[in-house]
Amino acid sequence: MGSKDNVNGEHDTIIDNDVNIDNNNNNNKESNEINNSEKEDNIETNETNEVNKNKEDTVIESNKNTQDEGSLGDVEGNIKPMIDYGKIKGSQDVEIPQLLIDQVIGHEDAIETIKKAAKQRRNVLLIGEPGVGKSMLAKGMAEMLPPEVLQDILVYPNPEDTNNPIIRLVPSGEGKKILKSSKSTVSNYDEWKTIIILFLMVGAVLVGFYFKRFWETAIIILLLFLVAALTKLPRNASVGPKLLVNNADKRFAPFIDATGAHAGALLGDVRHDPYQSGGLGTPAHERVEPGMIHKSNKGVLYIDEIGTMNMKTQQELLSAMQEKHYSITGQSETSSGAMVRSQPVPCDFVLVASGNIQVLEGMHIAMRSRIRGYGYEVFMKDYMEDTKENREKLVQFVAQEVKNDGRIPHFSSSALDEIIMEAKRRSGKKDALTLRLRELGGLIRAAGDFAKEQGADLVTAEHVVESKKFSRTLEQQIADRSIIQRKEYSVYNPKGGKIGIVNGLAVIGDRSGLISPIAAEAAPAQSTHEGKIIATGKLGEIARESVQNVSALIKKHTGTDISHYDIHVQFLQTYDGVEGDSASVSIAAAVISAIEEIPIDQTVALTGSLSVRGDVMPIGGATAKIEAAAEAGIKKVIIPRSNLKDVMIEKKYEEQIEIIPVDSLSEVLDNILVGGSRKNNLVKKMKAIGTAVAEKVPNTSIKGNIPNKSN
């Protein structure tokens, strides 16, 4: 894998100029075969110019960047480890903190906020991508709340109003004792009643036999059975209390996950009683069921994706937060439970709500206002800096995952290096480590499963590398299948040159790349006033806007008047739609190729956002796109220069593909159009226009124009 510009000198290797000349000669020979329509003398001249130019270029071997840090899959020991392991031979030697809050990785600022909120019992809103540790922070907060203030909640029958049960609070652990004592009283009464009835029956039988009154005796026994069945406890002692919330033997304050809970489960409910008449019904207080807001009293109530909860439930939750008490009633109006309403039940909880940034749209305004006014809002990171301390934290994370899973072997130091390298790749940035640790944990468990299947005592680097095949996301599997199908049906062909067709690059999901061919055709305008740009392929709003911007770029940077053309742009086989502007540089290349009738090298793929001034801007998913191009048989990939430092491709792709960083549209065309006089003239004209525009900008300083505030 190579690059045409030296950006990071300490990681670069300068390839001998003779090799560069040979490589470029070969590339130009391929271009000559493609561009058979050009004249032989022009081709030879262009080839000579290209060789002379490349003699002065420095070619970057981007794979050296990863080799300096530690190559993927390298277990020979000749590569410097990612960290100084010292006496640590594997994850089994790593000490794991006892408290959950100390097990959270990479969110130091969020942890400090959570500690403040726990101390002052403040509500918290956590916003971030899935799998970055939001629920773990909430659980850690529950451990920091004081457990000595916990209470048990009992519900008693109300002799004055059976539909208004009485609520009583007792210290934690006392609820069980009261319930046991109440059951003992009822049991003693039943025992004495049974003894008395049996004594009367025995007496009746003896008297009947003595006086030989058998029929009368039978009638008396039946009457005694009837009396026993109908005899009840005194009204004030007929039924004992019900233990609603039991906090006995709890070391920490309660943590209740109410994610996705319906109104009854969240706010409490009263069960329906089909036998409510005739004295056969269940007492009202026995049918009262506590909600999660009551079970989390003096603890933490955690709700993920809170914006998906309906507005009425959010309003009731807000009332409970404000009053710190909430009466339990039947949630269904057609149920007999709707007639029952308990006395207010304590629900003094700390709310920790979470979700991604879109969840704010569905969140009740007053709810967010209360959290903001009486708590904290925290935006969680999805990556952390690649430092020695953070790498050590990742090693701790691996040890935690192995312990929590309990079914996989520990990781060797080489496997830990592999996990750190994968965290670098998944961050999408060279000097960063991902914090989407739930997904990284999936790879850890897959590697552990594979090692156990192989009968290994420790997980090695090879196990981690092999497990990537089994832990591929659905999007990656879809992308792989799409590449095979598109190759089979010749949707794209990484050979030769074609006019108006370019190999664009896209991303499916988070990190799965895909080849996205784009075709352009220029036809005479149907309108006498001006031409149109017509784009098809289920484009999103941003993608359509990027297509429109291309027309301004072509007019300014090529000097071509496109008002006489109707330009058709087609994104081939984009059944799921296209969004974003990372294809704008591909669109521009395809349209210019179609207008100027210059073939595009099909061994090259490209990606990049294009500003209206012709600058190539950074995009996301550069690594995934490059790997997809390599899988598809592409030989070169053009990317924005500012993305070069973020490229962390796997070792198996390093020798398959060359990376070409660019800054401007003219550089893109210089590298993607097939060589010849028409290409040379176009690129020369674009550079001349760009130079003329730059010369018009005065080289002045605004320093002296800043007004003096003292005046």
Side-chain angles (χ1 to χ4, degrees):
M1 179 185 68
S3 172
K4 288 195 175 180
D5 296 270
N6 192 340
V7 178
N8 193 346
E10 63 180 2
H11 295 300
D12 297 340
T13 300
I14 301 177
I15 297 178
D16 189 69
N17 286 335
D18 293 334
V19 178
N20 286 339
I21 296 171
D22 291 338
N23 288 338
N24 285 284
N25 284 333
N26 291 334
N27 291 337
N28 284 303
K29 287 177 182 178
E30 291 179 6
S31 298
N32 295 338
E33 293 175 3
I34 295 168
N35 194 19
N36 291 326
S37 60
E38 295 293 339
K39 294 182 179 179
E40 186 67 23
D41 55 336
N42 287 337
I43 295 174
E44 292 175 355
T45 302
N46 180 64
E47 180 178 340
T48 303
N49 292 337
E50 289 292 323
V51 172
N52 291 335
K53 176 184 176 182
N54 283 315
K55 284 183 178 180
E56 300 173 357
D57 289 343
T58 301
V59 181
I60 297 175
E61 293 274 356
S62 296
N63 57 313
K64 294 296 182 182
N65 295 337
T66 57
Q67 288 177 358
D68 285 346
E69 298 290 350
S71 239
L72 290 174
D74 191 292
V75 290
E76 298 298 327
N78 57 347
I79 299 297
K80 184 179 178 182
M82 303 296 280
I83 63 172
D84 182 11
Y85 289 101
K87 296 181 180 180
I88 297 175
K89 296 181 180 179
S91 58
Q92 71 274 15
D93 300 323
V94 178
E95 184 178 353
I96 300 175
Q98 294 297 317
L99 293 178
L100 272 177
I101 197 70
D102 296 326
Q103 295 180 19
V104 177
I105 306 297
H107 296 289
E108 288 75 15
D109 294 340
I111 290 172
E112 288 302 314
T113 302
I114 287 291
K115 288 180 177 179
K116 292 185 183 73
K119 187 176 181 180
Q120 299 294 335
R121 295 187 61 82
R122 306 291 190 194
N123 301 313
V124 180
L125 175 62
L126 302 173
I127 297 298
E129 294 297 319
V132 296
K134 299 187 288 292
S135 61
M136 196 170 179
L137 276 175
K139 290 178 183 177
M141 184 178 184
E143 291 183 352
M144 291 187 289
L145 294 176
E148 63 271 11
V149 298
L150 298 181
Q151 298 171 313
D152 292 341
I153 303 176
L154 295 158
V155 57
Y156 287 82
N158 189 340
E160 297 180 0
D161 184 356
T162 57
N163 287 328
N164 186 224
I166 297 170
I167 299 298
R168 180 187 173 192
L169 301 179
V170 295
S172 61
E174 292 297 316
K176 270 188 175 181
K177 297 177 182 178
I178 294 172
L179 196 62
K180 184 177 180 180
S181 174
S182 174
K183 288 181 178 179
S184 177
T185 301
V186 175
S187 177
N188 290 338
Y189 179 84
D190 288 338
E191 288 177 4
W192 278 107
K193 184 178 73 171
T194 303
I195 292 171
I196 292 171
I197 294 298
L198 286 174
F199 180 78
L200 291 175
M201 287 182 179
V202 171
V205 170
L206 292 175
V207 171
F209 273 99
Y210 182 79
F211 292 102
K212 296 182 179 181
R213 299 279 186 174
F214 301 110
W215 286 106
E216 290 84 345
T217 301
I219 293 172
I220 292 172
I221 291 173
L222 288 173
L223 288 173
L224 288 173
F225 269 116
L226 184 62
V227 169
L230 296 177
T231 303
K232 296 182 178 180
L233 282 168
R235 183 178 181 130
N236 60 349
S238 60
V239 184
K242 178 180 178 179
L243 185 58
L244 280 183
V245 179
N246 180 18
N247 283 318
D249 304 323
K250 286 191 175 178
R251 289 181 55 213
F252 302 108
F255 171 83
I256 304 297
D257 188 348
T259 302
H262 58 78
L266 180 66
L267 306 172
D269 204 351
V270 179
R271 289 182 280 113
H272 176 65
D273 183 9
Y275 304 107
Q276 52 189 308
S277 60
L280 300 176
T282 304
H285 79 287
E286 289 283 356
R287 294 185 282 123
V288 174
E289 299 293 341
M292 292 179 174
I293 61 173
H294 309 111
K295 294 177 182 178
S296 59
N297 183 46
K298 303 300 182 182
V300 172
L301 179 69
Y302 175 67
I303 304 178
D304 194 15
E305 301 299 333
I306 190 170
T308 60
M309 189 180 293
N310 68 57
M311 284 298 173
K312 182 181 178 184
T313 305
Q314 289 191 50
Q315 287 174 341
E316 296 296 330
L317 179 62
L318 181 60
S319 299
M321 291 171 60
Q322 293 172 334
E323 303 298 330
K324 302 188 184 303
H325 289 81
Y326 190 85
S327 297
I328 300 176
T329 186
Q331 297 296 328
S332 173
E333 296 180 357
T334 60
S335 167
S336 62
M339 299 176 59
V340 179
R341 188 176 187 84
S342 73
Q343 291 181 348
V345 183
C347 55
D348 184 11
F349 56 84
V350 173
L351 176 67
V352 179
S354 68
N356 53 34
I357 195 68
Q358 289 79 18
V359 84
L360 299 178
E361 299 175 4
M363 195 171 178
H364 197 290
I365 297 175
M367 172 76 73
R368 188 180 174 197
S369 175
R370 183 161 189 84
I371 294 175
R372 191 188 299 126
Y374 295 89
Y376 300 92
E377 292 184 335
V378 179
F379 187 78
M380 300 186 67
K381 303 178 297 183
D382 59 358
Y383 70 91
M384 59 183 175
E385 292 183 6
D386 182 13
T387 63
K388 176 179 176 293
E389 292 76 15
N390 287 339
R391 290 184 180 186
E392 291 174 350
K393 289 178 182 177
L394 272 181
V395 171
Q396 175 191 315
F397 169 73
V398 175
Q400 291 170 188
E401 290 297 292
V402 173
K403 179 182 177 182
N404 293 337
D405 186 83
R407 291 171 290 180
I408 59 176
H410 279 282
F411 279 55
S412 66
S413 58
S414 65
L416 293 173
D417 278 353
E418 202 68 37
I419 293 296
I420 295 172
M421 181 59 70
E422 185 64 19
K424 288 170 65 67
R425 290 188 65 255
R426 295 192 180 198
S427 71
K429 301 175 183 294
K430 181 185 175 185
D431 299 321
L433 300 167
T434 184
L435 283 177
R436 301 186 71 165
L437 299 181
R438 185 185 299 157
E439 296 178 4
L440 195 62
L443 176 61
I444 292 170
R445 282 179 282 278
D449 291 344
F450 182 68
K452 193 166 186 178
E453 184 182 22
Q454 299 292 315
D457 295 328
L458 284 176
V459 179
T460 64
E462 288 93 340
H463 294 139
V464 178
V465 173
E466 286 297 318
S467 66
K468 291 179 186 180
K469 300 175 183 177
F470 311 115
S471 61
R472 295 175 69 82
T473 64
L474 287 174
E475 290 83 1
Q476 287 173 314
Q477 296 175 48
I478 292 170
D480 292 344
R481 187 174 301 176
S482 175
I483 289 172
I484 294 172
Q485 290 177 344
R486 292 185 180 189
K487 273 186 176 179
E488 183 178 352
Y489 292 102
S490 300
V491 177
Y492 69 88
N493 185 9
K495 295 179 181 178
K498 295 181 181 178
I499 294 176
I501 296 181
V502 66
N503 294 319
L505 295 168
V507 171
I508 300 177
D510 296 326
R511 59 181 190 277
S512 303
L514 184 68
I515 298 290
S516 179
I518 300 171
E521 186 62 67
Q526 294 183 354
S527 171
T528 56
H529 302 289
E530 62 178 352
K532 298 179 181 178
I533 292 186
I534 304 165
T536 59
K538 202 176 179 182
L539 306 187
E541 184 176 349
I542 299 175
R544 286 192 175 278
E545 290 175 354
S546 67
V547 172
Q548 294 300 322
N549 289 338
V550 167
S551 60
L553 285 167
I554 295 171
K555 292 176 185 176
K556 182 173 182 179
H557 292 274
T558 67
T560 302
D561 183 6
I562 63 171
S563 61
H564 303 300
Y565 296 96
D566 280 342
I567 299 173
H568 298 260
V569 178
Q570 182 182 12
F571 288 76
L572 302 179
Q573 295 190 343
T574 53
Y575 308 116
D576 297 324
V578 177
E579 187 54 289
D581 64 344
S582 64
S584 54
V585 69
S586 304
I587 297 168
V591 171
I592 292 172
S593 169
I595 293 174
E596 301 292 338
E597 296 184 347
I598 303 174
I600 289 176
D601 189 352
Q602 298 300 296
T603 66
V604 181
L606 70 164
T607 182
S609 175
L610 206 55
S611 75
V612 293
R613 300 186 62 85
D615 300 319
V616 180
M617 310 298 290
I619 44 84
T623 297
K625 292 176 179 179
I626 294 170
E627 291 180 347
E631 287 283 354
I634 300 295
K635 301 302 181 184
K636 301 178 183 178
V637 172
I638 298 173
I639 65 169
R641 187 182 303 279
S642 51
N643 281 120
L644 186 61
K645 64 181 183 299
D646 301 330
V647 175
M648 295 287 294
I649 65 174
E650 291 190 28
K651 186 176 182 180
K652 64 180 180 179
Y653 300 120
E654 292 173 1
E655 303 300 327
Q656 297 180 21
I657 199 160
E658 178 185 346
I659 302 174
I660 304 174
V662 296
D663 292 309
S664 63
L665 180 59
S666 60
E667 288 184 68
V668 172
L669 297 177
D670 195 18
N671 284 283
I672 200 169
L673 295 179
V674 174
S677 59
R678 303 184 75 175
K679 168 193 170 179
N680 295 338
N681 292 336
L682 175 64
V683 173
K684 184 177 180 181
K685 181 170 63 174
M686 288 183 65
K687 290 180 178 179
I689 293 173
T691 304
V693 171
E695 289 174 351
K696 292 180 182 179
V697 180
N699 186 17
T700 58
S701 173
I702 61 171
K703 199 176 209 178
N705 298 329
I706 300 176
N708 192 338
K709 292 184 179 180
S710 61
N711 296 334

